[in-house]
Amino acid sequence: MSSISAGPLATSSPPDSATHILAAEGGTLASIEEWINNNFEPIKDVLYDFTFGEITVFGTSFPWIVAWLIIAASVFSVYFGFIQFRGFKLALDIVRGKYTKKDEPGEITHFQALSSAVSGTVGLGNIAGVGIAVSIGGAGATFWMILAGLLGMCTKFVECTLGVKYRETHADGTVSGGPMHYLRKGLAERFGGRGAVLGKILAVLTAITILFFALSGGNMFQANQTFAQLKDVTGGSDGFLGSDGAALIFGILLATLVGVVIIGGIKSIGKVTSRLVPSMAIVYIAACLIVILVNITDVPAAVGDIVSGAFTPNGVVGGAIGALIVGFQRAAFSNEAGLGSAPIAHSAVKTRNPATEGLVSVLEPFIDTVIVCTMTALTIVIAKTQFWQDAKTAYVDSGETPNGVTVTSQSFETVLPWFPYVLTLAVALFALSTLITWSYYGQKAWTSLFGKSKTSERIYQIIFLAFVVAGSVLTVGTVIDFADAMLFLTALFNIIGLYLLMPVVKRELKSFRDKIKSGEIEKNDKVKS
């Protein structure tokens, strides 16, 4: 996830709370930041400890929320006959526009919807989180990370189909969707009065959690980390970004850039992310491929380490179970499957058949986890830097969590000495895309709570942009930890609804497939790839 990407996973292994360095170095800003952290600490501790509370299996502890996400993904995969594999080719055809007409209701194309959602998941978690995973769980964690990503594809299918099924189209032609809508409307439709009560409660809770994360983890953390990385590669405190007021100026410029995009709504966001996401993916994957190709003779051995390490890892805390749990944990926290955030973007797609976007959404965890995370892991395993070896030893000996960004960065530097600059570009692109996407997620949560109107939306956008500026000069680490807990707590509410609405999704899938078989929906092979 771009956030985690924006959350604890970028720097540490949940439920550990990362040590956040105060962004403000002194004076009034530092005092404000310290006051917020100190006063927010008691609230954060209760929620964070609950959400990331640990359970122990075969001597290895991990957050219960990981089990909740993985069990759901497994149940959905079995219930839908592993649609993520059977429908993969169909998903590719749909995202290329071969089953959609231009006059269908919605705001953006399938490709733009996919790009918008991917931009909210691909991020620092794919860089730092993977570095931590293969240090704690060894090379074998990669195998389990891939498996968890493949299972998570089906969770995305379920929630994004529901997102389109129960979306609301407003008088101005804009669309609102996501768990705030399908929990409220879907449960009422299926279970009547009692379902309506449960649906409203779950919908409000998801809206609150998504909104809070949008303003902090999906916003402030991204702005802060982007400035920190830019400052580091331009000379640190001695560089031109080390001067007093540089963070504030950067924050204002970033807020202006984000504002230009988000005020245009999802159509504008879709246009930007459909260009930005492929660009950042190409930059990062190209760097991975360079390292891999330079060490091409080591690839078979690295793949062997990944497969064998999944079942017989040496020197890994918890053995094979430890590798499995770490891999599942990183995948679940990277691709957001089950958190209910992605359906908000997918709901705006142009389609009359909800299952089409459900199928398209299976590509999201595939890109995020199966491709990007695996490329990062393979690069680290092939490079076998001394820092990585020492990080694994340190974790086994003392439980010290490694710096994931450094693990990954040093692996690239074995071939690309100038990689810190590429990493800076990747971080900047990841953070920008995350800011843009989460602004939209937060806006939809805001309007579901406070009503949809131009005035309401503008108030939210002003607040969001103010937080961009604040995030550049303040880290408020305790608030970020609280936001992470809020976001993953959304999975508890969301997945309850997904279980109850599985039959609705199955009917939608059958309906779409029947229309293809009957010829009601024709495949357009003239669409260019």
Side-chain angles (χ1 to χ4, degrees):
M1 170 192 287
S2 270
S3 61
I4 303 237
S5 91
L9 306 186
T11 49
S12 65
S13 179
D16 297 337
S17 174
T19 300
H20 297 272
I21 299 173
L22 294 182
E25 296 178 357
T28 304
L29 290 178
S31 298
I32 293 173
E33 186 162 28
E34 186 175 3
W35 182 87
I36 293 173
N37 279 328
N38 290 340
N39 285 277
F40 219 80
E41 188 82 22
I43 305 172
K44 182 272 294 184
D45 285 344
V46 173
L47 191 62
Y48 199 87
D49 290 347
F50 170 73
T51 306
F52 296 116
E54 293 189 340
I55 56 177
T56 302
V57 176
F58 299 111
T60 302
S61 298
F62 60 97
W64 65 267
I65 195 70
V66 174
W68 179 249
L69 290 165
I70 295 300
I71 290 172
S74 302
V75 170
F76 296 144
S77 294
V78 172
Y79 183 80
F80 290 98
F82 294 93
I83 187 64
Q84 64 266 54
F85 307 125
R86 293 189 299 110
F88 194 83
K89 183 180 182 301
L90 179 58
L92 291 174
D93 285 338
I94 294 170
V95 83
R96 290 158 65 188
K98 293 196 171 187
Y99 286 97
T100 307
K101 296 180 180 179
K102 293 182 179 180
D103 63 346
E104 295 198 38
E107 297 186 78
I108 54 178
T109 66
H110 286 290
F111 180 72
Q112 289 174 335
L114 177 64
S115 298
S116 297
V118 168
S119 70
T121 59
V122 176
L124 294 178
N126 303 81
I127 299 173
V130 175
I132 295 170
V134 295
S135 297
I136 295 176
T142 307
F143 178 91
W144 300 112
M145 188 167 57
I146 293 171
L147 178 60
L150 293 173
L151 292 173
M153 291 164 68
C154 196
T155 304
K156 278 286 173 78
F157 164 74
V158 176
E159 58 186 354
C160 291
T161 298
L162 291 171
V164 178
K165 167 74 174 175
Y166 294 106
R167 66 185 179 180
E168 294 182 4
T169 302
H170 306 291
D172 59 1
T174 59
V175 174
S176 295
M180 301 82 70
H181 298 276
Y182 61 70
L183 291 174
R184 175 173 53 83
K185 296 166 67 176
L187 293 178
E189 178 183 277
R190 183 151 191 248
F191 299 103
R194 292 183 179 179
V197 173
L198 175 62
K200 286 179 181 178
I201 293 172
L202 294 178
V204 169
L205 291 173
T206 56
I208 292 172
T209 54
I210 288 172
L211 175 61
F212 200 99
F213 186 84
L215 292 173
S216 49
N219 181 343
M220 295 178 71
F221 185 86
Q222 306 302 319
N224 182 269
Q225 291 297 289
T226 303
F227 177 75
Q229 184 70 16
L230 289 172
K231 179 180 177 180
D232 184 58
V233 299
T234 55
S237 298
D238 297 326
F240 75 93
L241 289 179
S243 61
D244 292 339
L248 179 61
I249 294 173
F250 171 81
I252 293 172
L253 292 175
L254 181 60
T256 301
L257 178 61
V258 173
V260 169
V261 178
I262 69 174
I263 290 175
I266 189 60
K267 290 183 179 179
S268 175
I269 292 171
K271 288 179 181 178
V272 172
T273 55
S274 65
R275 291 170 174 79
L276 190 59
V277 170
S279 298
M280 68 184 188
I282 289 171
V283 168
Y284 187 72
I285 291 176
C288 291
L289 287 174
I290 291 173
V291 176
I292 293 170
L293 290 173
V294 168
N295 299 281
I296 192 68
T297 56
D298 297 326
V299 171
V303 173
D305 288 343
I306 290 171
V307 175
S308 63
F311 302 97
T312 56
N314 296 317
V316 174
V317 174
I321 296 297
L324 180 152
I325 289 171
V326 170
F328 276 12
Q329 178 172 298
R330 293 299 164 181
F333 287 168
S334 177
N335 59 45
E336 294 186 22
L339 303 190
S341 51
I344 300 174
H346 285 285
S347 296
V349 72
K350 292 181 178 179
T351 185
R352 289 189 176 88
N353 300 281
T356 59
E357 194 59 21
L359 287 165
V360 166
S361 70
V362 305
L363 301 175
E364 192 183 329
F366 184 81
I367 295 169
D368 175 273
T369 307
V370 180
I371 295 180
V372 180
C373 286
T374 301
M375 293 289 282
T376 302
L378 193 57
T379 299
I380 294 170
V381 174
I382 286 175
K384 288 186 177 178
T385 64
Q386 189 59 47
F387 184 87
W388 179 46
Q389 304 291 354
D390 293 343
K392 290 192 291 182
T393 301
Y395 185 79
V396 172
D397 292 343
S398 64
E400 179 184 351
T401 302
N403 185 319
V405 170
T406 305
V407 170
T408 304
S409 182
Q410 289 206 2
S411 299
F412 281 103
E413 286 183 64
T414 58
V415 175
L416 307 171
W418 38 264
F419 183 74
Y421 298 100
V422 177
L423 184 64
T424 299
L425 177 61
V427 168
L429 291 176
F430 289 154
L432 179 60
S433 65
T434 299
L435 274 164
I436 291 170
T437 299
W438 272 96
S439 72
Y440 180 72
Y441 292 169
Q443 180 171 310
K444 291 306 178 182
W446 173 279
T447 55
S448 74
L449 291 170
F450 303 109
K452 176 179 169 56
S453 68
K454 284 295 181 184
T455 301
S456 177
E457 290 179 348
R458 288 292 180 263
I459 291 173
Y460 165 79
Q461 289 164 355
I462 290 170
I463 293 173
F464 187 88
L465 296 176
F467 272 74
V468 173
V469 178
S472 299
V473 295
L474 300 173
T475 308
V476 287
T478 300
V479 177
I480 300 297
D481 288 342
F482 178 80
D484 286 327
M486 292 284 277
L487 180 64
F488 283 96
L489 195 57
T490 305
L492 176 61
F493 313 136
N494 184 48
I495 289 175
I496 289 174
L498 299 186
Y499 281 132
L500 296 173
L501 295 172
M502 285 194 301
V504 176
V505 177
K506 180 165 278 190
R507 286 198 299 269
E508 288 297 330
L509 177 61
K510 183 178 184 301
S511 173
F512 175 60
R513 289 186 169 236
D514 287 345
K515 288 178 182 178
I516 293 177
K517 290 179 182 178
S518 68
E520 183 179 343
I521 296 178
E522 297 180 357
K523 183 178 180 181
N524 181 9
D525 287 315
K526 294 182 180 180
V527 175
K528 294 183 180 180
S529 301

